[in-house]
Amino acid sequence: MIFRRDTWSEILSSVTKNKARTTITVIGVLWGIFIYITLSGAAKGLDNGFERQFERVAMNSMFVWTQQTSVPYKGFKTGRFIQLKLNDVRTLKTKIPEIQYVAPRNAKGVFGGDAPTITKDLKHGKYNVYGDFPVVVKIATKDIYDGGRFLNEEDIKHDRKVCVIGERTQRELFNKNENPVGQFIKIDNSYFQVIGVHKFVQGGGFEDDGDIYIPFTTFRKLYNTGENVGWLAIAAYNDADVIEVEKKVKTVLKDIHSVAQEDERAIGSFNLGEIFNKVQGFSKGLTFLSLVVGIATIFAGVIGIGNILLISVKERTRELGVRRALGATPNEVKGQIILESVFLTLVSGVLGIILGALVLAGINAATQDVTDFPYTNPTVPIPYIVGALLIMIILGTLIGLIPAQRAVSIKPIDALREE
Amino acid sequence: MIAIKDLHKSYKMGSNVLHVLKGINFNVEEGEMVAIMGSSGSGKSTLLNIVGMLDLLDTGSYTLDGVPIVNLNETKAAKYRNKFLGFIFQSFNLINYKTALENVALPLYYQRVPKKERDEKALQYLTKVGLANWATHLPSELSGGQKQRVAIARALAAQPKVLLADEPTGALDSTTSYEVMQLLQEINDEGKTLLVVTHEEDIANMCKRIVQLKDGIIIEDKKVNQVRASEYV
Ligand SMILES: Nc1ncnc2c1ncn2[C@@H]1O[C@H](COP(=O)(O)OP(=O)(O)OP(=O)(O)O)[C@@H](O)[C@H]1O
Ligand SMILES: [Mg+2]
């Protein structure tokens, strides 16, 4: 019956005869599916946005730095300043197998202190300078423009005076169309050769598009930092529990530097994994919420369809009686009512999906250039749409059963007598 | 064609039982045109509806074209109605959102006749009742007589064995009534069996046999000389 073209044209003719009623019926479900699509699309957009914010940084990474102690320990008074050392890296790696990468970092100009003056010919400005190992890119990706490269092991080994500059630095110190790679700039009083320009990316934490990276070893020489390390960037293996690793790192560092284990201040840390989990939880919650709200509205809409069909079946008692007098079996009558219900549900559903998609596309176009708001590519996964359509078919059938049953519960002779 | 023996039918109205048909014995041969008369409430419609399988009998037997009508469930009744019976109602009962042609084609739809063939046949019957030019009109655009003619075409479309008409002229003025009767007579002339419930003496006299019902039994059953409706038109 479902596959007869006739069945559908019969249904089409009966649903199109009362346009006002059909329109009102359709709007109910249309609204529901529209809400569902736009909400879950928006949730997905936020989700994607957050993911983009974080994609530059290993999700299970953390930063660890030192501060002053707050608890006296082993004869040391409180207020002692702890200094991370290059050796700590090896100790951490051997003691905590969950750690994949450790990048010791130094910087000038970031956390207080004067940024170095950078000079190129007649132009100059103040930019943060980082002393880094190449491994740092494993933790926070750096995109380098074509023709350039990031620091490598050779640079470290030979304390090369090379640097990677930011695109803002390039814009401000170099002429337009001038290729900075291979040219020299002056950092404080030393000349460095530019080997690459890094692209600015959202979500790089405290780093920005003016930052300059030089080899850790060169930095050490330039600023006399010796074995000192400013802070550590640490990435755990993907399957590791970052919070656990963070605790272990602190324990080990407190051991090395004779800090009381209960000292909460001496060693500071920032755990990206934890933050990321929270954010992800938020967008998961949002997706769930939109699912619940959407399905509830679809439900309400379908119940509305059932209601209106029930009224329409009452109105059409006589017509259905005539059909039965002409030879429609109860199943054919029921089938017609149910298919009308499914048809109305589906049409409104598809319209709602189209409308929702249009709105999402609109939002997408409007937020295309917005980089400081985490919202990217708001899409509704196909399984969600298929799922919604399936739910609608099932609900439409179930709700159609009620008026359908009503339509055949009355004897044809009584139906024909109905005024 | 129709054989009814000792038919009883009563309706329950709360605690009361209304005995409407009290032992009807009644046979109709193929090609007959029978008028059923009687005062209001005498059970004419009830009898016709049982013959039309729109209602069930309580006791007695009913055979249609040699087929005993027993154990009738709704599905079976619907199939029989579709195959054997054509209905003409006092109030036409056309479906208001369907054109004349679509209305006539509806019984064929339930016979699963393909659309093209359905429409051809429907048009053929509309032509027969003289309304070929009105095929695409909705019932609301037709006069009472035209509506009844569409209904007759619809009753004929499925090529039933028996046509059942419950006061087919009840809602029409006399001129239009005679036109409709002329059409029914022509259909009978072609050999179709007709049962016509009517109040009106002149309409009854246009049939070939008159059955008088009173208080649920047949009090008179006589053959008459058919008055041709064409004499009045
Ligand atoms: N479904 C029903 N339920 C209860 N009583 C009914 C039902 N159908 C008919 N009756 C009663 O049965 C009796 C016969 O009704 P029926 O319709 O057969 O009369 P009729 O001869 O066709 O009368 P009319 O000329 O007014 O159409 C009436 O008293 C009517 O009220
Ligand atoms: Mg009657």
Side-chain angles (χ1 to χ4, degrees):
Chain A
M1 178 172 182
I2 303 176
F3 301 106
R4 268 179 87 196
R5 218 185 101 223
D6 269 358
T7 310
W8 291 104
S9 65
E10 191 61 33
I11 282 158
L12 204 65
S13 84
S14 83
V15 296
T16 48
K17 72 158 178 165
N18 194 334
K19 293 198 175 62
R21 190 182 68 204
T22 303
T23 310
I24 291 169
T25 314
V26 161
I27 284 173
V29 170
L30 189 149
W31 180 241
I33 189 84
F34 170 75
I35 298 237
Y36 167 72
I37 292 290
T38 36
L39 268 183
S40 57
K44 184 71 188 160
L46 271 184
D47 199 32
N48 287 344
F50 286 136
E51 208 147 287
R52 193 184 65 181
Q53 291 279 31
F54 281 95
E55 76 188 347
R56 296 286 145 186
V57 191
M59 306 288 192
N60 47 357
S61 65
M62 66 194 80
F63 304 104
V64 181
W65 61 91
T66 46
Q67 298 163 156
Q68 285 172 308
T69 58
S70 64
V71 177
Y73 187 64
K74 283 189 181 171
F76 292 112
K77 279 194 241 162
T78 60
R80 179 169 60 99
F81 192 83
I82 305 300
Q83 178 62 57
L84 291 174
K85 296 286 181 185
L86 211 45
N87 265 339
D88 298 351
V89 174
R90 204 175 320 122
T91 319
L92 281 174
K93 271 181 145 176
T94 45
K95 292 212 168 159
I96 307 167
E98 291 98 318
I99 290 179
Q100 190 175 17
Y101 303 112
V102 180
R105 310 188 71 181
N106 272 321
K108 220 169 157 50
V110 190
F111 305 110
D114 249 2
T117 303
I118 314 296
T119 319
K120 162 73 173 118
D121 301 335
L122 293 172
K123 297 176 185 169
H124 60 86
K126 287 193 174 295
Y127 301 94
N128 301 329
V129 171
Y130 291 76
D132 264 314
F133 284 99
V135 70
V136 75
V137 296
K138 304 279 192 193
I139 300 164
T141 316
K142 305 254 178 298
D143 282 345
I144 306 295
Y145 277 105
D146 286 348
R149 65 169 175 87
F150 194 68
L151 306 170
N152 63 22
E153 291 302 335
E154 292 297 301
D155 300 332
I156 298 287
K157 216 158 117 191
H158 304 295
D159 315 340
R160 281 185 186 148
K161 285 187 163 175
V162 291
C163 65
V164 175
I165 62 171
E167 50 183 294
R168 181 162 62 88
T169 326
Q170 171 185 7
R171 209 169 47 240
E172 289 171 1
L173 294 185
F174 290 84
N175 297 323
K176 245 189 179 172
N177 304 327
E178 189 179 2
N179 183 7
V181 175
Q183 304 211 42
F184 287 87
I185 58 171
K186 208 162 80 180
I187 300 179
D188 285 337
N189 292 316
S190 315
Y191 281 97
F192 279 72
Q193 187 172 30
V194 176
I195 55 171
V197 179
H198 65 88
K199 285 184 193 169
F200 175 65
V201 286
Q202 262 296 314
F206 46 78
E207 296 171 36
D208 80 14
D209 53 351
D211 291 340
I212 294 172
Y213 303 103
I214 63 175
F216 189 90
T217 45
T218 319
F219 187 98
R220 174 162 73 184
K221 267 193 177 165
L222 196 62
Y223 296 109
N224 256 324
T225 51
E227 291 295 297
N228 290 354
V229 169
W231 73 99
L232 299 170
I234 300 173
Y237 282 103
N238 278 330
D239 52 356
D241 178 352
V242 227
I243 306 207
E244 213 41 52
V245 175
E246 182 186 9
K247 276 188 198 148
K248 285 188 185 173
V249 166
K250 284 187 168 181
T251 308
V252 170
L253 288 176
K254 283 172 185 170
D255 260 3
I256 299 173
H257 296 284
S258 304
V259 175
Q261 282 303 333
E262 64 269 24
D263 193 333
E264 293 296 335
R265 193 177 73 186
I267 302 205
S269 65
F270 177 80
N271 193 329
L272 263 176
E274 198 183 345
I275 305 280
F276 181 70
N277 284 345
K278 273 187 191 151
V279 165
Q280 231 181 12
F282 173 70
S283 54
K284 274 211 185 85
L286 214 62
T287 307
F288 181 73
L289 186 76
S290 61
L291 205 73
V292 170
V293 170
I295 287 180
T297 5
I298 292 175
F299 218 88
V302 173
I303 287 175
I305 287 192
N307 241 325
I308 290 181
L309 275 177
L310 206 58
I311 295 168
S312 111
V313 158
K314 248 175 163 169
E315 274 173 8
R316 287 163 69 195
T317 306
R318 201 188 173 92
E319 176 204 325
L320 296 173
V322 172
R323 284 175 182 271
R324 289 167 75 187
L326 296 180
T329 63
N331 279 340
E332 281 171 318
V333 173
K334 268 200 228 170
Q336 181 180 345
I337 306 286
I338 292 171
L339 287 183
E340 278 180 23
S341 167
V342 171
F343 178 81
L344 286 176
T345 322
L346 268 183
V347 165
S348 23
V350 168
L351 285 179
I353 289 172
I354 292 172
L355 212 68
L358 285 179
V359 167
L360 286 181
I363 295 176
N364 196 23
T367 56
Q368 203 55 247
D369 307 319
V370 183
T371 43
D372 50 358
F373 182 69
Y375 195 87
T376 308
N377 199 16
T379 50
V380 182
I382 297 292
Y384 279 37
I385 294 180
V386 173
L389 284 175
L390 270 179
I391 287 175
M392 284 189 300
I393 291 175
I394 293 168
L395 282 183
T397 308
L398 288 181
I399 214 74
L401 277 174
I402 300 167
Q405 194 50 48
R406 218 206 101 91
V408 295
S409 68
I410 178 168
K411 282 198 293 181
I413 180 63
D414 295 326
L416 280 169
R417 240 196 296 264
E418 191 90 3
E419 281 318 313
Chain B
M1 179 61 68
I2 295 169
I4 286 172
K5 270 202 196 73
D6 209 22
L7 179 137
H8 285 260
K9 174 74 183 176
S10 43
Y11 290 113
K12 278 196 192 68
M13 307 275 286
S15 56
N16 294 359
V17 175
L18 186 65
H19 205 166
V20 181
L21 297 177
K22 305 165 179 167
I24 303 282
N25 288 288
F26 177 54
N27 290 301
V28 180
E29 301 303 319
E30 184 166 6
E32 277 198 279
M33 183 165 179
V34 183
I36 299 172
M37 292 195 74
S39 56
S40 189
S42 57
K44 306 180 297 288
S45 295
T46 306
L47 177 61
L48 200 75
N49 290 334
I50 289 173
V51 172
M53 295 181 225
L54 291 168
D55 210 345
L56 296 174
L57 50 76
D58 291 343
T59 58
S61 72
Y62 168 28
T63 311
L64 175 64
D65 199 28
V67 181
I69 307 303
V70 285
N71 297 330
L72 209 58
N73 61 34
E74 237 325 291
T75 304
K76 208 161 140 193
K79 297 233 161 93
Y80 281 153
R81 284 196 292 266
N82 187 246
K83 219 164 117 192
F84 295 132
L85 302 163
F87 292 90
I88 299 159
F89 304 93
Q90 177 177 359
S91 52
F92 324 125
N93 277 337
L94 297 177
I95 291 176
N96 59 14
Y97 59 88
K98 287 185 177 291
T99 63
L101 188 83
E102 287 166 346
N103 265 290
V104 175
L106 201 55
L108 299 170
Y109 168 78
Y110 289 114
Q111 281 186 352
R112 296 171 181 245
V113 174
K115 168 108 173 103
K116 197 161 168 269
E117 201 183 323
R118 212 158 68 207
D119 287 350
E120 274 168 17
K121 265 199 175 162
L123 189 62
Q124 182 189 321
Y125 283 102
L126 270 183
T127 312
K128 190 182 174 74
V129 300
L131 291 175
N133 292 334
W134 298 83
T136 57
H137 287 247
L138 289 173
S140 55
E141 298 158 357
L142 303 175
S143 72
Q146 287 173 323
K147 281 187 212 173
Q148 196 59 300
R149 271 146 65 191
V150 172
I152 292 169
R154 181 177 68 182
L156 288 173
Q159 289 176 293
K161 300 207 179 300
V162 180
L163 282 193
L164 303 173
D166 196 347
E167 307 197 32
T169 61
L172 304 174
D173 62 43
S174 53
T175 319
T176 320
S177 294
Y178 298 147
E179 283 170 7
V180 166
M181 283 313 288
Q182 190 188 354
L183 184 58
L184 292 180
Q185 284 180 340
E186 283 166 18
I187 290 162
N188 177 246
D189 292 344
E190 289 167 17
K192 192 91 36 195
T193 312
L194 266 85
L195 258 61
V196 182
V197 167
T198 181
H199 273 117
E200 292 149 279
E201 202 76 39
D202 53 344
I203 297 295
N205 283 317
M206 291 177 181
C207 298
K208 293 171 173 169
R209 176 181 160 194
I210 300 178
V211 171
Q212 282 282 352
L213 270 184
K214 192 179 183 215
D215 294 335
I217 52 168
I218 295 176
I219 55 164
E220 195 187 5
D221 186 345
K222 62 173 186 198
K223 293 237 155 55
V224 292
N225 282 327
Q226 189 182 41
V227 176
R228 296 302 291 189
S230 49
E231 291 170 23
Y232 292 88
V233 182

